[in-house]
Structures are given as C-alpha cells and as structure tokens.
C-alpha cells in the first residue's frame, strides 16, 4: 500500500463518520454554490483594538487567496465577508445575524474576544452555523455542550498555569493581577488564582480596567503599593503599555507577564522596544518570524505574495492557521458539503497544520493546549 498506514486509517475513520450523517441534512446549504463557499468573520477592524482584527483578517485572506489561486476546495472558490464590531458585544451580535441571515455565510471563523463571542453563541447555536477559531481562552466557551464552536488556541487556564509555574520556579511568590473588567479579564483572573492556589499562594493585589479603556491610573495606585514581585496582565496592548509606563514612573519594577491576547508585536509598537524589554508574554501560536515550522515558512511566503502591507505578527499567523484549519476541514468534508459534514470532519481525526497540531478529541471543542513563554529582548526582538 503506497499510503502511510496511520493516514489511511484516519481517512477510513472520517469516511465512516461521514456516512453516518443522515441523508436529510445533505440538502443545499446557505453559503455553498457550485463554485463558491462563503465564510464570515466579526472582529475589531477599527477603534483602539483594530490592529488585532486587521492582522487576523489579513492572515485569513492571504491563505484564502493562495487556496483560490490553486483552484479552491473541490472546485469552489472561498470568499470572506468580514464585519467590524469594534470589540463590542452588541455590534458582534448584530454582525453575526447579518452574516447568517443576510450574507448567508456557510460558516464563521476568526471571531474576537470572550464577551462578544459569548454573546453570539445563542445565535450560532440556533442557526446551526459552526464558528471555527476564536480569540478567547475562556472556559465558558469550551463547554462540550457547545457543539457548534471549535477553538484553535489553548485556554486561559493553560496560559496562566504556564505563567505561574514559570514565576514560582524562579522564586517569585508575590504576584499581582491587572485584568480587563469583562469576560476575558475575569477568566484570566480566575486562572491566575487557581494556578496560585496550586502553590498555596494568592494574589497580593488585583485591579481592573474597563474594556476599550486606556486610563489605568487607579490600577497603578493599587498595585504599585502592593510590593509585588510580578504582575500578570490580563489586558490588551494599550492599557498594558500605559500601565507599564506608569508603574515604572512610580518607581515600581516588578516582572510584567502578559497573556497572549495582548499582542506582543502591537505592545512593542505601542510601548517602544526599550520600554518593552524584559516583558514576558505567554504565546499560544508559534513565533511568526521563525523558520522551524513549515506553516510559519508558508505563512511568510503567502503573506508576502498576497497581502497589501506585509507585517508578520502573532495575530496574522493565528488568522492564517485558522483559515488553513477551515480549508483542510472543507477538503475532508468532500464535495457534497453541509455544515454537519464539516463539523464531523473537524472532529473525526487530528489536523497537522504544518507543525501546529489541532485535535478535537472525545467530543471536546478545544483543539490545542500549546503554550510557550516568550521574552522581549534587545531592540524589540521576541525570544522563546
């Protein structure tokens, strides 16, 4: 047999699973025609966090353009409809309804944020539309009962456990937390608390900042006097940059460790290379400037070929990986495409996305627990 035995077995499992999809669901689906599959995205494309959504959209569109240039998937071209929600809940819900009801997309991908995504869950569950890839590690979005959502990245519990283990290993015991006052921040805060409890510790101080706000003066006043050795930052890049500046101006110099949603490259651009030096960030996506993984090499090549403004980034690579997962699942689902067949294909066997593995095992909707800690070095260089 010319085919690798393990791959052959996986394909047999997938083929068997797809034959179990009832014939009644194999009718034509919205967003699918003889020559097109339409996909939808909602995220911040403008406003204080627009850099995140734009980078993701660029990575997604570069991959889709590359696939379309090779003839698409089963002869169908892939099209993305991306709407701006400004990282706000109500626009995210309105966008999701528009994508499903008016744009009639086949599937959704690349949604951003815990609170916006939690708010759209009833909409996608009622419509039976899969959402593949979210920028959130919150456990509330990872319940096995949520059968239409699929996560590409590790959870905040995975990230905070790695962060606290790293800090405790080097003797740090006094840890404070700055968190965003929403679902994202609360999930990260609880993750830090659980990780500290495992070492018989608790935060020495906590302070919150509202979503889409940048004024952190009250939080600085609370945390600067706590004599923390390290501060875990469950915030996005602008409040994070302001907090680090003001803490240093107040004479406090703890270790600063941020969760992955901060966007390491956006933080460096906002804070400056020298001010960011020494800041640590937990990463759930491989380093996008490296050459070790096939998918990173591919991402850089494809982005250079198709993007209008080429700037490699963690969010861009995550968007690219998200789009690659969707297209590989579409390939597995076959020409007779339905949403049920797509979801069955996602769950049937692991995906190796050029060295980044995703596996929705045993009914789980969490596909990865990949976490590594990076450090910003001299001249803004990101080190692992």
């Amino acid at each position: 047999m010319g085919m690798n035995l393990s791959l052959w077995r996986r394909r047999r499992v997938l083929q068997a699973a797809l034959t179990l999809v009832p014939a009644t669901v194999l009718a034509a689906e919205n967003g699918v025609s003889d020559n097109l599959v339409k996909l939808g995205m909602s995220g911040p494309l403008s406003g204080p966090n627009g850099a995140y959504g734009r980078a993701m959209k660029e990575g997604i569109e570069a991959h889709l353009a590359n696939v379309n240039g090779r003839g698409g998937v089963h002869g169908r071209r892939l099209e993305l409809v991306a709407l701006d929600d400004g990282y706000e809940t109500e626009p995210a819900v309105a966008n999701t309804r528009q994508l499903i009801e008016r744009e009639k997309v086949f599937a959704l991908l690349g949604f951003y944020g815990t609170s916006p995504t939690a708010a759209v869950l009833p909409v996608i569950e009622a419509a039976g539309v899969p959402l593949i890839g979210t920028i959130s590690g919150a456990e509330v979005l990872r319940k096995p009962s949520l059968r239409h959502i699929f996560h590409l990245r590790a959870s905040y519990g995975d990230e905070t456990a790695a962060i606290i283990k790293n800090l405790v290993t080097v003797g740090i015991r006094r840890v404070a937390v700055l968190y965003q006052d929403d679902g994202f921040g609360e999930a990260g805060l609880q993750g830090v608390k659980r990780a500290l409890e495992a070492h018989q510790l608790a935060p020495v101080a906590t302070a919150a900042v509202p979503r889409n706000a940048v004024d952190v003066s009250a939080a600085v006043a609370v945390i600067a006097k706590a004599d923390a050795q390290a501060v875990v930052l469950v915030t996005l890049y602008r409040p994070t940059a302001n907090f680090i500046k003001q803490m240093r101006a107040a004479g406090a110099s703890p270790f600063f460790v941020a969760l992955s949603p901060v966007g390491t490259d956006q933080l460096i651009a906002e804070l400056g290379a020298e001010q960011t030096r020494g800041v640590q960030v937990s990463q759930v996506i491989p380093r996008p400037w490296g050459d070790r993984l096939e998918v990173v090499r591919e991402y850089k090549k494809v982005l250079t070929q198709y993007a209008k403004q080429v700037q490699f980034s963690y969010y861009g690579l995550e968007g690219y990986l998200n789009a690659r997962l969707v297209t590989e699942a579409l390939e597995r689902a076959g020409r007779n495409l339905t949403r049920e067949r797509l979801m069955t294909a996602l769950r049937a066997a692991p995906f190796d996305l050029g060295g980044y593995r995703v596996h929705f095992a045993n009914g789980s909707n969490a596909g990865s627990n990949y976490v590594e800690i990076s450090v910003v070095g001299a001249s803004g260089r990101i080190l692992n």
Side-chain angles (χ1 to χ4, degrees):
M1 182 179 296
M3 186 184 299
N4 176 275
L5 183 59
S6 175
L7 178 60
W8 178 81
R9 284 173 175 162
R10 289 177 186 173
R11 289 187 178 177
R12 293 285 292 180
V13 168
L14 176 58
Q15 290 165 1
L18 290 176
T19 62
L20 297 177
V21 178
T24 54
V25 303
L26 297 182
E29 295 267 18
N30 283 342
V32 180
S33 67
D34 285 344
N35 58 11
L36 179 69
V37 176
K38 188 185 287 191
L39 305 169
M41 168 189 175
S42 179
L45 303 177
S46 64
N49 299 302
Y52 298 139
R54 291 191 298 271
M56 288 176 59
K57 178 175 177 284
E58 183 178 67
I60 292 169
E61 289 182 329
H63 179 71
L64 298 187
N66 188 44
V67 170
N68 289 338
R70 301 196 307 261
V73 177
H74 297 297
R76 294 186 175 106
R77 186 173 58 85
L78 307 179
E79 176 185 298
L80 179 70
V81 180
L83 302 180
D84 183 12
D85 60 34
Y87 190 34
E88 294 290 355
T89 298
E90 290 185 10
V93 173
N95 285 354
T96 304
R97 293 191 185 281
Q98 179 178 338
L99 289 166
I100 293 172
E101 297 169 9
R102 290 171 49 191
E103 297 292 344
K104 299 190 181 302
V105 300
F106 173 69
L108 302 164
L109 77 163
F111 273 43
Y112 185 92
T114 298
S115 293
T117 305
V120 308
L121 280 179
V123 179
I124 69 170
E125 290 287 324
V129 178
L131 169 55
I132 306 158
T134 65
I135 304 299
S136 175
E139 295 299 335
V140 69
L141 300 176
R142 291 161 186 263
K143 298 174 183 177
S145 59
L146 300 172
R147 68 180 300 268
H148 292 91
I149 190 168
F150 298 83
H151 298 282
L152 184 74
R153 55 165 42 219
S155 72
Y156 295 142
D158 294 326
E159 290 193 57
T160 51
I163 287 171
I164 298 305
K165 180 181 179 181
N166 192 54
L167 293 174
V168 170
T169 298
V170 297
I172 290 174
R173 303 183 70 79
R174 296 183 59 81
V175 178
V177 186
L178 175 69
Y179 67 100
Q180 189 165 282
D181 191 11
D182 69 352
F184 158 51
E186 185 62 30
L189 172 64
Q190 295 306 318
V192 173
K193 286 182 174 179
R194 286 193 299 270
L196 286 170
E197 284 173 8
H199 298 278
Q200 292 77 52
L201 299 171
V204 296
T206 65
V209 58
R211 182 171 69 244
N212 276 336
V214 295
D215 183 0
V216 295
S217 54
V220 170
V222 170
I223 293 179
K225 65 182 181 183
D227 193 28
Q229 296 168 288
V231 181
V232 179
L233 303 157
V234 195
T235 44
L236 301 182
Y237 74 100
R238 284 185 170 169
T240 299
N242 285 345
F243 179 80
I244 292 171
K245 286 178 185 176
Q246 292 181 33
M247 284 286 287
R248 287 174 173 162
S253 55
F255 287 103
F256 296 105
V257 191
L259 269 68
S260 63
V262 75
T264 313
D265 29 338
Q266 287 88 357
L267 179 62
I268 294 169
E270 181 77 8
L271 186 56
E274 286 309 307
Q275 283 266 45
T276 320
R277 187 173 183 178
V279 173
Q280 299 178 24
V281 182
S282 59
Q283 308 290 0
V284 296
I285 296 296
R287 185 172 175 271
W289 301 275
D291 289 310
R292 182 171 58 88
L293 295 184
E294 172 204 325
V295 71
V296 177
R297 299 192 299 270
E298 179 188 293
Y299 158 71
K300 292 190 294 182
K301 179 181 178 181
V302 171
L303 199 71
T304 301
Q305 183 174 357
Y306 290 103
K308 293 179 181 178
Q309 294 183 338
V310 177
Q311 187 170 354
F312 306 140
S313 68
Y314 281 101
Y315 274 102
L317 177 56
E318 185 161 1
Y320 188 89
L321 281 164
N322 196 163
R324 181 162 171 178
L325 174 62
V326 170
T327 57
E328 293 200 14
L330 289 170
E331 288 277 5
R332 292 183 183 186
R335 174 72 184 174
N336 190 6
L337 184 59
T338 68
R339 289 166 178 155
E340 286 294 333
R341 290 178 71 94
L342 176 64
M343 292 189 292
T344 299
L346 282 163
R347 294 189 178 99
F351 292 82
D352 184 348
L353 306 178
Y356 184 87
R357 288 179 56 82
V358 177
H359 186 199
F360 301 104
N362 302 319
S364 171
N365 56 25
S368 173
N369 60 3
Y370 174 95
V371 179
E372 62 181 16
I373 306 295
S374 66
V375 182
V376 182
S379 304
R381 186 168 178 231
I382 300 171
L383 311 171
N384 294 117

